[in-house]
Amino acid sequence: MSLTVYGAPLSPFVRKLRLCLAEKGLDYQLEIVLPFGQPAWYRELNPLGRIPAFKDGDFDLADSSVICQYLEDKHPERLSLLGQTAEQRARVRWLEKYADYELAPLSTFTVFRNRALKPSMGRPCDEAAVQTALMSEKLPPHFDYLEQCLGDADYFVGDSLSLADLAFACQMVNMEHGDEQLDAQRWPNLAALYARIKARPSMQAILPDEQKILAKMSASA
Ligand SMILES: N[C@@H](CCC(=O)N[C@@H](CS)C(=O)NCC(=O)O)C(=O)O
């Protein structure tokens, strides 16, 4: 079995896949592909040009959620991150999708992109866009909803770690890379969940490298 993840460590979707692999105890190689200026061969793995893509031997796939679900189906003997019952599995998919499609445009593609990525590429940060994402009716209502979904449980679904928790935490990492923290006074349960996921060995194994990349990026800004 030879598993390869194609992508870059600071992408929340690449991070989600790497955490999923680590939580399942699956070894893989990371082949760096950036989300821009990709080599022509990458289009064969993902014609949309987005990261991550993935190879299991000769079999290739794209999209973090699709790849994580493949890993779930392929390795039923390993830790399940999708929930046990039909209801739990549906709930995990909903919350994973919520993080990937509702949080990401704000936490990653607005806060992180403007504060961390653009300056490292010699482009100005659009601070007004960042403030709108943070302060207005953008991120806060999403956090209100997720805080209510979590309640005082340790994890979003079924009292155990799932892709819902990982997808949410991955977006929070990018927000933090963009110098913003989840307000623990306002969303205490979400902040505690994030701290819990961040402390896991799977996350601790990859964050130091991410910090190094960020430091290099801010040195070149
Ligand atoms: N739904 C996709 C989203 C992947 C995605 O948007 N990745 C970004 C990097 S964080 C990307 O590759 N963007 C380049 C582009 O859209 O051209 C997944 O979960 O894999």
Side-chain angles (χ1 to χ4, degrees), residues 10-13 16 35-36 38 43 48-52 62-65 100-101 108-109 113:
L10 297 187
S11 158
F13 308 104
K16 171 163 48 113
F36 37 81
Q38 291 159 352
R43 294 270 156 177
L48 303 175
R50 296 194 189 115
I51 56 172
D63 191 283
S64 62
S65 302
D100 287 3
Y101 289 89
T108 295
F109 299 133
R113 179 178 281 169

